Short mmCIF file of all heavy atoms in Angstrom, two decimals:
data_model
loop_
_atom_site.label_atom_id
_atom_site.label_comp_id
_atom_site.label_asym_id
_atom_site.label_seq_id
_atom_site.Cartn_x
_atom_site.Cartn_y
_atom_site.Cartn_z
N GLY A 1 13.24 -0.98 -15.29
CA GLY A 1 12.63 -1.53 -14.08
C GLY A 1 11.32 -0.86 -13.75
O GLY A 1 10.37 -1.50 -13.28
N ALA A 2 11.23 0.44 -14.03
CA ALA A 2 10.00 1.19 -13.73
C ALA A 2 8.87 0.78 -14.66
O ALA A 2 7.70 0.76 -14.25
CB ALA A 2 10.27 2.69 -13.85
N ILE A 3 9.18 0.44 -15.88
CA ILE A 3 8.13 0.13 -16.86
C ILE A 3 7.81 -1.36 -16.93
O ILE A 3 6.83 -1.77 -17.55
CB ILE A 3 8.55 0.65 -18.26
CG1 ILE A 3 7.32 0.84 -19.15
CG2 ILE A 3 9.55 -0.29 -18.92
CD1 ILE A 3 7.63 1.43 -20.50
N ALA A 4 8.64 -2.20 -16.27
CA ALA A 4 8.46 -3.66 -16.36
C ALA A 4 7.09 -4.10 -15.86
O ALA A 4 6.52 -5.07 -16.38
CB ALA A 4 9.57 -4.36 -15.58
N TYR A 5 6.56 -3.42 -14.86
CA TYR A 5 5.23 -3.78 -14.32
C TYR A 5 4.17 -3.69 -15.40
O TYR A 5 3.25 -4.52 -15.47
CB TYR A 5 4.88 -2.86 -13.15
CG TYR A 5 3.52 -3.12 -12.56
CD1 TYR A 5 3.32 -4.15 -11.63
CD2 TYR A 5 2.42 -2.34 -12.94
CE1 TYR A 5 2.06 -4.39 -11.10
CE2 TYR A 5 1.16 -2.57 -12.40
CZ TYR A 5 0.99 -3.59 -11.48
OH TYR A 5 -0.26 -3.83 -10.97
N PHE A 6 4.29 -2.69 -16.28
CA PHE A 6 3.27 -2.46 -17.31
C PHE A 6 3.52 -3.30 -18.55
O PHE A 6 2.61 -3.48 -19.36
CB PHE A 6 3.25 -0.98 -17.67
CG PHE A 6 2.96 -0.08 -16.51
CD1 PHE A 6 4.00 0.54 -15.82
CD2 PHE A 6 1.68 0.12 -16.06
CE1 PHE A 6 3.75 1.36 -14.74
CE2 PHE A 6 1.41 0.94 -14.98
CZ PHE A 6 2.45 1.56 -14.31
N THR A 7 4.75 -3.79 -18.75
CA THR A 7 5.05 -4.60 -19.93
C THR A 7 4.79 -6.08 -19.70
O THR A 7 4.93 -6.87 -20.63
CB THR A 7 6.51 -4.42 -20.36
OG1 THR A 7 7.38 -4.75 -19.27
CG2 THR A 7 6.76 -2.99 -20.79
N ASN A 8 4.42 -6.45 -18.47
CA ASN A 8 4.15 -7.85 -18.17
C ASN A 8 2.70 -8.07 -17.74
O ASN A 8 2.34 -9.16 -17.29
CB ASN A 8 5.11 -8.35 -17.08
CG ASN A 8 6.51 -8.54 -17.59
OD1 ASN A 8 6.84 -9.58 -18.13
ND2 ASN A 8 7.34 -7.51 -17.46
N LYS A 9 1.90 -7.03 -17.83
CA LYS A 9 0.47 -7.13 -17.53
C LYS A 9 -0.31 -6.40 -18.60
O LYS A 9 0.25 -5.64 -19.38
CB LYS A 9 0.16 -6.51 -16.15
CG LYS A 9 0.90 -7.16 -14.98
CD LYS A 9 0.57 -6.46 -13.68
CE LYS A 9 1.37 -7.05 -12.52
NZ LYS A 9 0.97 -8.44 -12.23
N GLU A 10 -1.59 -6.66 -18.66
CA GLU A 10 -2.44 -5.91 -19.58
C GLU A 10 -3.80 -5.65 -18.95
O GLU A 10 -4.26 -6.41 -18.09
CB GLU A 10 -2.57 -6.62 -20.93
CG GLU A 10 -3.40 -7.87 -20.92
CD GLU A 10 -3.50 -8.47 -22.32
OE1 GLU A 10 -2.68 -8.17 -23.20
OE2 GLU A 10 -4.45 -9.26 -22.54
N TRP A 11 -4.42 -4.57 -19.38
CA TRP A 11 -5.71 -4.15 -18.85
C TRP A 11 -6.67 -3.87 -20.00
O TRP A 11 -6.24 -3.54 -21.11
CB TRP A 11 -5.54 -2.87 -18.02
CG TRP A 11 -4.71 -3.03 -16.80
CD1 TRP A 11 -5.14 -3.26 -15.52
CD2 TRP A 11 -3.28 -2.95 -16.71
NE1 TRP A 11 -4.07 -3.33 -14.66
CE2 TRP A 11 -2.92 -3.14 -15.36
CE3 TRP A 11 -2.26 -2.74 -17.63
CZ2 TRP A 11 -1.60 -3.14 -14.91
CZ3 TRP A 11 -0.94 -2.73 -17.21
CH2 TRP A 11 -0.63 -2.93 -15.86
N ASN A 12 -7.94 -4.00 -19.70
CA ASN A 12 -8.99 -3.64 -20.66
C ASN A 12 -9.69 -2.39 -20.17
O ASN A 12 -10.36 -2.41 -19.14
CB ASN A 12 -10.00 -4.79 -20.81
CG ASN A 12 -9.39 -6.01 -21.47
OD1 ASN A 12 -8.67 -5.89 -22.45
ND2 ASN A 12 -9.68 -7.18 -20.92
N PHE A 13 -9.51 -1.31 -20.91
CA PHE A 13 -10.06 -0.03 -20.51
C PHE A 13 -11.37 0.25 -21.26
O PHE A 13 -11.49 -0.08 -22.45
CB PHE A 13 -9.07 1.12 -20.78
CG PHE A 13 -7.82 1.03 -19.96
CD1 PHE A 13 -6.64 0.56 -20.49
CD2 PHE A 13 -7.84 1.45 -18.63
CE1 PHE A 13 -5.49 0.49 -19.73
CE2 PHE A 13 -6.70 1.39 -17.86
CZ PHE A 13 -5.51 0.92 -18.41
N GLU A 14 -12.29 0.90 -20.58
CA GLU A 14 -13.54 1.33 -21.20
C GLU A 14 -13.30 2.65 -21.92
O GLU A 14 -12.81 3.61 -21.34
CB GLU A 14 -14.61 1.49 -20.12
CG GLU A 14 -15.91 2.06 -20.64
CD GLU A 14 -16.55 1.16 -21.68
OE1 GLU A 14 -16.81 -0.01 -21.36
OE2 GLU A 14 -16.77 1.64 -22.82
N THR A 15 -13.63 2.71 -23.21
CA THR A 15 -13.38 3.91 -24.00
C THR A 15 -14.67 4.56 -24.52
O THR A 15 -14.64 5.35 -25.45
CB THR A 15 -12.47 3.58 -25.20
OG1 THR A 15 -13.08 2.58 -26.01
CG2 THR A 15 -11.11 3.10 -24.72
N LYS A 16 -15.79 4.19 -23.94
CA LYS A 16 -17.09 4.71 -24.40
C LYS A 16 -17.15 6.24 -24.29
O LYS A 16 -17.61 6.91 -25.21
CB LYS A 16 -18.22 4.08 -23.60
CG LYS A 16 -19.61 4.54 -24.01
CD LYS A 16 -20.70 3.78 -23.24
CE LYS A 16 -20.59 4.09 -21.76
NZ LYS A 16 -21.70 3.45 -20.99
N ASN A 17 -16.68 6.79 -23.18
CA ASN A 17 -16.71 8.24 -22.99
C ASN A 17 -15.85 8.96 -24.00
O ASN A 17 -16.23 9.99 -24.59
CB ASN A 17 -16.26 8.60 -21.58
CG ASN A 17 -17.28 8.24 -20.52
OD1 ASN A 17 -18.41 7.91 -20.86
ND2 ASN A 17 -16.89 8.28 -19.26
N MET A 18 -14.64 8.42 -24.25
CA MET A 18 -13.72 9.05 -25.20
C MET A 18 -14.27 8.96 -26.62
O MET A 18 -14.16 9.90 -27.41
CB MET A 18 -12.35 8.39 -25.11
CG MET A 18 -11.23 9.16 -25.77
SD MET A 18 -10.87 10.71 -24.94
CE MET A 18 -10.87 11.84 -26.32
N ARG A 19 -14.89 7.84 -26.95
CA ARG A 19 -15.45 7.66 -28.29
C ARG A 19 -16.61 8.64 -28.50
O ARG A 19 -16.79 9.16 -29.62
CB ARG A 19 -15.91 6.22 -28.44
CG ARG A 19 -16.58 5.87 -29.78
CD ARG A 19 -15.78 6.30 -30.98
NE ARG A 19 -14.41 5.83 -30.96
CZ ARG A 19 -13.50 6.20 -31.86
NH1 ARG A 19 -13.81 7.07 -32.81
NH2 ARG A 19 -12.27 5.75 -31.77
N MET A 20 -17.36 8.92 -27.47
CA MET A 20 -18.47 9.88 -27.56
C MET A 20 -17.94 11.27 -27.91
O MET A 20 -18.52 11.99 -28.73
CB MET A 20 -19.24 9.91 -26.26
CG MET A 20 -20.41 10.89 -26.22
SD MET A 20 -21.37 10.74 -24.70
CE MET A 20 -20.07 11.08 -23.46
N VAL A 21 -16.81 11.64 -27.29
CA VAL A 21 -16.19 12.93 -27.57
C VAL A 21 -15.72 12.99 -29.03
O VAL A 21 -15.96 13.97 -29.74
CB VAL A 21 -15.00 13.19 -26.62
CG1 VAL A 21 -14.25 14.46 -27.02
CG2 VAL A 21 -15.46 13.26 -25.18
N LEU A 22 -15.06 11.94 -29.47
CA LEU A 22 -14.52 11.91 -30.83
C LEU A 22 -15.64 11.97 -31.87
O LEU A 22 -15.50 12.64 -32.91
CB LEU A 22 -13.68 10.63 -31.03
CG LEU A 22 -12.43 10.51 -30.16
CD1 LEU A 22 -11.78 9.15 -30.35
CD2 LEU A 22 -11.44 11.61 -30.46
N ASP A 23 -16.73 11.29 -31.62
CA ASP A 23 -17.85 11.29 -32.57
C ASP A 23 -18.55 12.64 -32.66
O ASP A 23 -19.12 12.99 -33.71
CB ASP A 23 -18.87 10.21 -32.17
CG ASP A 23 -18.34 8.80 -32.36
OD1 ASP A 23 -17.35 8.64 -33.12
OD2 ASP A 23 -18.87 7.87 -31.75
N ASP A 24 -18.49 13.42 -31.58
CA ASP A 24 -19.14 14.73 -31.57
C ASP A 24 -18.25 15.84 -32.16
O ASP A 24 -18.74 16.97 -32.36
CB ASP A 24 -19.53 15.10 -30.14
CG ASP A 24 -20.75 14.34 -29.66
OD1 ASP A 24 -21.45 13.76 -30.51
OD2 ASP A 24 -20.99 14.28 -28.43
N MET A 25 -17.00 15.55 -32.40
CA MET A 25 -16.10 16.57 -32.97
C MET A 25 -16.37 16.75 -34.46
O MET A 25 -16.69 15.79 -35.17
CB MET A 25 -14.63 16.16 -32.75
CG MET A 25 -14.19 16.14 -31.30
SD MET A 25 -12.51 15.46 -31.08
CE MET A 25 -11.51 16.72 -31.93
N SER A 26 -16.24 17.97 -34.91
CA SER A 26 -16.41 18.24 -36.35
C SER A 26 -15.19 17.72 -37.11
O SER A 26 -14.15 17.41 -36.53
CB SER A 26 -16.58 19.74 -36.58
OG SER A 26 -15.37 20.43 -36.26
#
C-alpha cells in the first residue's frame, strides 16, 4: 500500500548534475 503510489505513476527527473559528477570522476 505504501509503494502503490509510486508504482502507478512515473516522473521524469533531470540528471544533468549527476552526470557531470560521473564524468569528472577518474
Side-chain angles (χ1 to χ4, degrees):
I3 201 176
Y5 178 82
F6 302 98
T7 57
N8 287 274
K9 300 178 184 293
E10 71 178 20
W11 296 263
N12 292 316
F13 295 102
E14 174 62 58
T15 59
K16 181 176 63 176
N17 288 349
M18 195 67 229
R19 178 50 53 187
M20 179 174 59
V21 174
L22 296 174
D23 291 341
D24 285 344
M25 294 173 65
S26 67

